[in-house]
């Protein structure tokens, strides 16, 4: 114990790790973008750096260093032959880093690399000013948040792919955190690509889920994301701040409230309360901060990301309770899933 303390004082490992954390992120981003994991996945045998370089059209020297760093990160396993090192994917890389895998995080990694990383360049400014950094990072006005987030068709699709991918990993836990089988007509407000709606229809055979989102998002979801025929998934083009909300038994608000201020949230939740059938409910899905603000680290970091990217923040369960109660909801229950996203259910009596 005393030895360890001494070591901490003379060698600040944690600080060094944090200082260089972005080197790790960028190594992962570059390997994904170059197609390292696809290349090794498709090969029947382990490959040398020279063979990977040839397949990818990259420099031999650069590729050798990249593969070596990936092995250091345990994203690849390296096997030392007589003359050269041979690389193959680990089981984790095969499952999560190849594009075609059902549990692929490839699109999340792309969005982190191509958008979030650029926004975080201005984190210091964001903290100083207390607002998002679209103007500096991308030269677009942040007056309308989703105009900025969807500043091009390609950006919108990338954002939808980001939103889509996490539900392959956390979706089932979120929709089964409470027994939702009594709710037949469900609206997923800001339902985006429909990934959570799919999780819902798979978990509850009796329900229909309508994806309510901005027109261009709904059109893209229809055409590019929900290719699997599911007669229990419907679509509704609209603006949840401007338009009337249809009546339903259950409204899902997944990663919606964290985009906005308390005032806008109470405005939205009040509309939801008015449209909700008596005995109905709202399911809020968010990464909850602990009451003493001690964690989880992911939610704390996501809250900083909400600062650079949105008008909102991550909140504690008690803050969601207060917003829901202000809109009229009661019987508020909280379920933590132990994964990134948790669930809060609130009823209209
Ligand atoms: N619920 C999805 C999820 O958790 O994967 C997507 C969450 S995403 C952060 C926010 C969603 O709200 C986007 O799909 C966006 O298009 C939609 N949205 C934003 N403003 C909206 C509005 N005024 N009316 C309807 N949908 C809106
Ligand atoms: C939003 C969610 C996200 C708006 C912008 C966003 C995420 C990234 N950018 O509602 C998903 C969560 N990931 C992070 C890093 O916050």
């Amino acid at each position: 114990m005393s030895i360890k303390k001494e070591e901490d004082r003379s060698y600040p490992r944690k600080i060094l790790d944090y200082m260089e954390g972005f080197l790790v992120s960028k190594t992962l981003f570059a390997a994904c973008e170059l197609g390292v994991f696809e290349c090794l996945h498709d090969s029947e045998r382990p490959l040398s750096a020279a063979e990977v370089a040839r397949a990818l059209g990259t420099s031999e020297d650069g590729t050798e260093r990249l593969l070596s760093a990936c092995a250091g990160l345990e994203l690849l396993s390296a096997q030392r032959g007589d003359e050269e090192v041979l690389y193959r994917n680990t089981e984790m890389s095969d499952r999560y880093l190849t594009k075609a895998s059902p549990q692929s995080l490839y699109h999340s990694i792309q969005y982190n690399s191509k958008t979030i990383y650029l926004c975080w360049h201005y984190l210091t400014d964001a903290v100083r000013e207390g607002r998002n950094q679209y103007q500096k990072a991308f030269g677009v006005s942040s007056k309308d948040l989703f105009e900025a987030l969807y500043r091009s068709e390609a950006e919108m699709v990338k954002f939808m792919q980001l939103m889509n991918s996490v539900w392959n990993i956390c979706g089932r836990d979120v929709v089964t955190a409470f027994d939702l089988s009594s709710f037949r007509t469900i609206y997923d407000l800001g339902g985006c690509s429909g990934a959570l709606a799919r999780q819902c229809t798979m978990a509850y055979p009796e329900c229909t889920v309508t994806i309510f989102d901005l027109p261009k998002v709904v059109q893209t979801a229809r055409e590019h994301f929900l290719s699997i025929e599911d007669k229990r998934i419907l679509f509704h083009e609209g603006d949840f701040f401007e338009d009337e909300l249809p009546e339903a038994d259950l409204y899902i608000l997944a990663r919606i409230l964290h985009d906005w201020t308390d005032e806008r949230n109470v405005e939205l939740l009040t509309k939801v309360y008015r449209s909700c059938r008596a005995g109905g409910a709202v399911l809020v899905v968010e990464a909850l901060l602990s009451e003493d603000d001690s964690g989880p680290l992911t939610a704390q970091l996501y809250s900083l990301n909400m600062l650079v990217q949105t008008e909102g923040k991550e909140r504690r369960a008690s803050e969601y309770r207060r917003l829901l109660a202000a809109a009229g909801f009661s019987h508020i229950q909280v379920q933590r899933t132990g994964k990134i996203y948790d669930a809060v259910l609130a009823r209209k009596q």
Side-chain angles (χ1 to χ4, degrees):
M1 195 57 192
S2 62
I3 291 169
K4 190 168 180 307
K5 262 198 183 144
E6 188 52 43
E7 186 187 80
D8 283 348
R9 227 175 289 147
S10 64
Y11 190 73
R13 178 181 298 280
K14 225 180 229 182
I15 292 175
L16 293 172
D17 283 350
Y18 295 167
M19 181 175 77
E20 293 166 358
F22 75 100
L23 304 185
V24 175
S25 301
K26 282 296 273 187
T27 301
L28 171 65
F29 298 165
C32 283
E33 279 157 26
L34 292 167
V36 166
F37 303 104
E38 268 80 30
C39 173
L40 292 171
H41 177 80
D42 294 343
S43 164
E44 278 153 23
R45 54 177 183 81
L47 299 178
S48 69
E51 288 172 311
V52 173
R54 218 169 303 134
L56 301 180
T58 50
S59 72
E60 210 175 298
D61 178 34
T63 307
E64 208 171 286
R65 299 186 209 193
L66 181 66
L67 298 187
S68 166
C70 286
L73 291 170
E74 299 178 12
L75 298 173
L76 296 178
S77 63
Q79 175 190 324
R80 260 144 254 284
D82 292 339
E83 277 165 26
E84 49 188 10
V85 182
L86 296 177
Y87 294 95
R88 61 188 160 75
N89 284 349
T90 62
E91 217 181 289
M92 184 175 71
S93 301
D94 259 334
R95 180 181 301 199
Y96 296 109
L97 299 179
T98 54
K99 244 187 258 187
S101 157
Q103 284 139 311
S104 179
L105 289 172
Y106 181 87
H107 290 297
S108 293
I109 290 164
Q110 277 295 95
Y111 193 84
N112 273 275
S113 171
K114 300 288 192 195
T115 299
I116 296 178
Y117 189 83
L118 307 185
C119 294
W120 277 62
H121 187 65
Y122 299 102
L123 177 64
T124 313
D125 294 322
V127 171
R128 212 173 264 137
E129 298 164 16
R131 61 183 163 87
N132 68 50
Q133 297 293 312
Y134 286 104
Q135 194 66 56
K136 281 196 209 89
F138 304 110
V140 299
S141 155
S142 54
K143 216 170 131 263
D144 181 321
L145 175 58
F146 278 85
E147 288 276 311
L149 272 165
Y150 299 158
R151 56 199 166 277
S152 67
E153 166 93 18
E155 252 324 293
M156 183 187 78
V157 172
K158 275 198 271 175
F159 184 80
M160 292 178 74
Q161 285 170 327
L162 166 80
M163 289 296 119
N164 203 53
S165 68
V166 82
W167 300 129
N168 295 329
I169 295 166
C170 303
R172 196 176 161 83
D173 299 76
V174 156
V175 299
T176 60
F178 295 99
D179 178 4
L180 305 176
S181 58
S182 66
F183 304 113
R184 299 295 154 87
T185 309
I186 302 176
Y187 267 75
D188 188 358
L189 300 178
C192 204
S193 71
L196 200 58
R198 277 283 300 160
Q199 291 292 333
C200 239
T201 58
M202 285 194 287
Y204 301 104
E206 315 255 19
C207 72
T208 64
V209 185
T210 305
I211 296 157
F212 182 108
D213 212 302
L214 301 168
K216 60 182 178 181
V217 176
V218 168
Q219 282 150 26
T220 306
R222 263 201 171 115
E223 284 162 28
H224 299 293
F225 286 88
L226 285 157
S227 47
I228 305 165
E229 180 77 1
D230 187 337
K231 294 213 160 41
R232 294 190 291 121
I233 293 185
L234 308 170
F235 300 90
H236 186 126
E237 297 177 9
D239 182 319
F240 53 50
F241 287 121
E242 300 296 327
D243 303 335
E244 207 169 314
L245 301 178
E247 190 180 64
D249 300 320
L250 179 74
Y251 299 87
I252 298 175
L253 288 170
R255 295 190 283 184
I256 304 299
L257 302 182
H258 77 166
D259 288 336
W260 308 104
T261 60
D262 284 0
E263 293 70 33
R264 292 224 95 183
N265 283 332
V266 173
E267 182 194 332
L268 177 58
L269 287 170
T270 303
K271 280 182 81 171
V272 171
Y273 185 80
R274 288 208 190 107
S275 307
C276 188
R277 289 197 185 118
V282 59
L283 181 75
V284 171
V285 177
E286 296 287 358
L288 295 178
L289 285 167
S290 67
E291 289 305 322
D292 62 359
D293 255 350
S294 65
L297 178 61
T298 302
Q300 293 167 324
L301 295 174
Y302 279 16
S303 199
L304 280 176
N305 191 54
M306 291 300 106
L307 178 67
V308 296
Q309 280 214 293
T310 71
E311 297 173 12
K313 60 181 178 181
E314 305 301 350
R315 293 176 174 85
R316 304 176 201 128
S318 60
E319 296 180 276
Y320 287 111
R321 276 180 193 278
R322 194 168 38 73
L323 297 173
L324 287 158
F329 287 100
S330 57
H331 293 88
I332 303 166
Q333 295 165 277
V334 178
Q335 276 290 344
R336 283 168 213 278
T337 67
K339 296 191 181 170
I340 303 175
Y341 293 105
D342 306 300
V344 180
L345 188 73
R347 293 186 182 264
K348 175 173 177 173
Q349 287 203 300

